[in-house]
Structure formats: C-alpha cells, structure tokens
Amino acid sequence: ISFNADSTVIVRNNYIENYNLRLDDGGAITTGAPNSYGTKIEGNICLNGGWGSAPKGTTDTGTLSVGIYLDDNCSNVEVSNNTIVNCYWVGIYLHNANTNNIHHNTVFNCRGAQIRTADDVLGGDIYANTIQNNFFIAKQSTQTCANFSSNQNNLTTIGTLNGNIYSRPIDDNKTITIYQPSTGSLSKTLSEWKTFSGQDANSLGSPI
C-alpha cells in the first residue's frame, strides 16, 4: 500500500502478508513527502516481508524490505497499534522524516532492526518525531532492537523517545546501534543510549 497525498489519508486494519518477494527497497505500507495532518497508519498487520527464496527476484540473499516505511521528507503521519513481524530488513523505517508520531506498535523478528531512523543526503533532516510506547523485540542475537543513523552529528534531535521496550531476550546487552560522523558506528546498551541521547528515560529492556 503506497500513498503520497495532500489530503488526509487513513490506512487502517489491513492484513498484508508475503510482500517484497521480488522488489527491493519497499514496504508493506509506504509513503514519502509531506502529508496532511490527520494522516494515519493504524491497526495493520504486516507479515513476512522479503523472505522469499529469491528476495530481490535474483539469487541474492538480502532485500531492503520494510514493514512501515516513512520515506524522504515524510511528515505528519501517525503510526499506531500496528503489528509487524518477520521483515527481512527493518520493521519501521523513518528515512529523512520529520514530525511523525510512532506509538503503541509491536515489531518482532526483523532481521536488520525493529526500528531504524536515517538522515542522509537523499532528503531533508530528520527531526521532531515522537517515538513512544512501542515494543521493539529482536528474536536473534544478530538482530538489533533499534538503529539510529545520520551523516550529520544530530542523533539527539531525532525527536522525543520514551516508554519503549527494546527487548532481545536471547542477548539483552548491546541492543541499539548508532552511527554519526563524530562517533562512527557503535553498539550501545539501553543505558548507554539513554546517557548519550538524553532520550528513552522510561524505556526498558527485556523483562526476563
């Protein structure tokens, strides 16, 4: 499901399974560019993105498959109460996106990261997003709960993050990956991420 509109759009209560089996760099639900206030992606179930025998339509073994994809300069979208499971790459992806509200979603077993934010040369800055009260659950020790990346030194201005669960029960240590020029690529514990970013004060790791 893809939309780019200057009027209010609501994408609600869809069941999307086995997508991105041939095409690369896509999502079960995707949008880019500014959207009107009141635009919502809510109550959807997105399963098995890019897990075909040939994820790119070739013999390659990887694909940029995303559950919910807020692409370049996307803004004013509320993403809530969605369930995203088994993405080959990322569950929720904010790419050069701003002023979006991501809350009360459950993301599980996405191979790259459960949530990723990225600021690069393909769009405007990423800022003023709200990411709160979500479950970001990694199944494998090779997966990360979150990946925050920027080609500028601005990771602390992604937005407001709080009340999230960053859970990887099999190895609940360095669950968050960051990148910016001043630090390079680092893996951090939730506690280290809180200290670095000043965000996620009330967020938790695995309860068990």
Side-chain angles (χ1 to χ4, degrees):
I1 299 174
S2 178
F3 65 92
N4 293 295
D6 58 3
S7 60
T8 299
V9 172
I10 297 177
V11 181
R12 177 185 288 149
N13 295 346
N14 296 281
Y15 181 92
I16 305 168
E17 185 176 11
N18 300 328
Y19 56 93
N20 284 140
L21 300 184
R22 293 186 298 158
L23 299 179
D24 191 26
D25 194 13
I29 303 171
T30 182
T31 182
N35 291 279
S36 294
Y37 287 102
T39 292
K40 297 181 180 183
I41 300 172
E42 62 182 11
N44 302 282
I45 298 174
C46 308
L47 299 179
N48 304 333
W51 285 98
S53 58
K56 292 184 182 178
T58 69
T59 58
D60 290 351
T61 57
T63 183
L64 301 180
S65 182
V66 177
I68 296 177
Y69 197 157
L70 305 187
D71 206 0
D72 290 327
N73 306 314
C74 179
S75 62
N76 305 324
V77 179
E78 181 180 2
V79 179
S80 65
N81 297 296
N82 300 283
T83 299
I84 303 165
V85 179
N86 300 344
C87 283
Y88 200 86
W89 191 41
V90 172
I92 298 175
Y93 187 22
L94 281 69
H95 185 224
N96 302 312
N98 66 83
T99 59
N100 300 287
N101 185 8
I102 316 299
H103 66 92
H104 293 98
N105 301 283
T106 298
V107 186
F108 174 71
N109 193 34
C110 296
R111 184 175 177 270
Q114 314 318 300
I115 186 168
R116 175 180 169 86
T117 67
D119 188 330
D120 57 34
V121 298
L122 299 177
D125 292 345
I126 186 167
Y127 63 90
N129 297 285
T130 301
I131 303 173
Q132 295 185 332
N133 302 314
N134 302 281
F135 287 84
F136 300 125
I137 306 170
K139 179 180 180 181
Q140 306 291 344
S141 60
T142 53
Q143 300 171 355
T144 59
C145 295
N147 184 309
F148 303 116
S149 174
S150 177
N151 65 352
Q152 307 179 67
N153 294 311
N154 63 351
L155 289 184
T156 58
T157 62
I158 293 169
T160 301
L161 293 80
N162 203 14
N164 300 298
I165 301 294
Y166 300 97
S167 175
R168 189 174 63 192
I170 199 168
D171 180 8
D172 203 43
N173 187 24
K174 302 279 187 175
T175 58
I176 296 173
T177 299
I178 70 165
Y179 171 82
Q180 62 181 10
S182 64
T183 63
S185 182
L186 296 173
S187 294
K188 290 184 174 291
T189 65
L190 178 56
S191 178
E192 290 170 340
W193 163 250
K194 290 180 180 183
T195 300
F196 169 82
S197 66
Q199 299 288 341
D200 279 309
N202 298 307
S203 296
L204 300 171
S206 297
I208 298 175

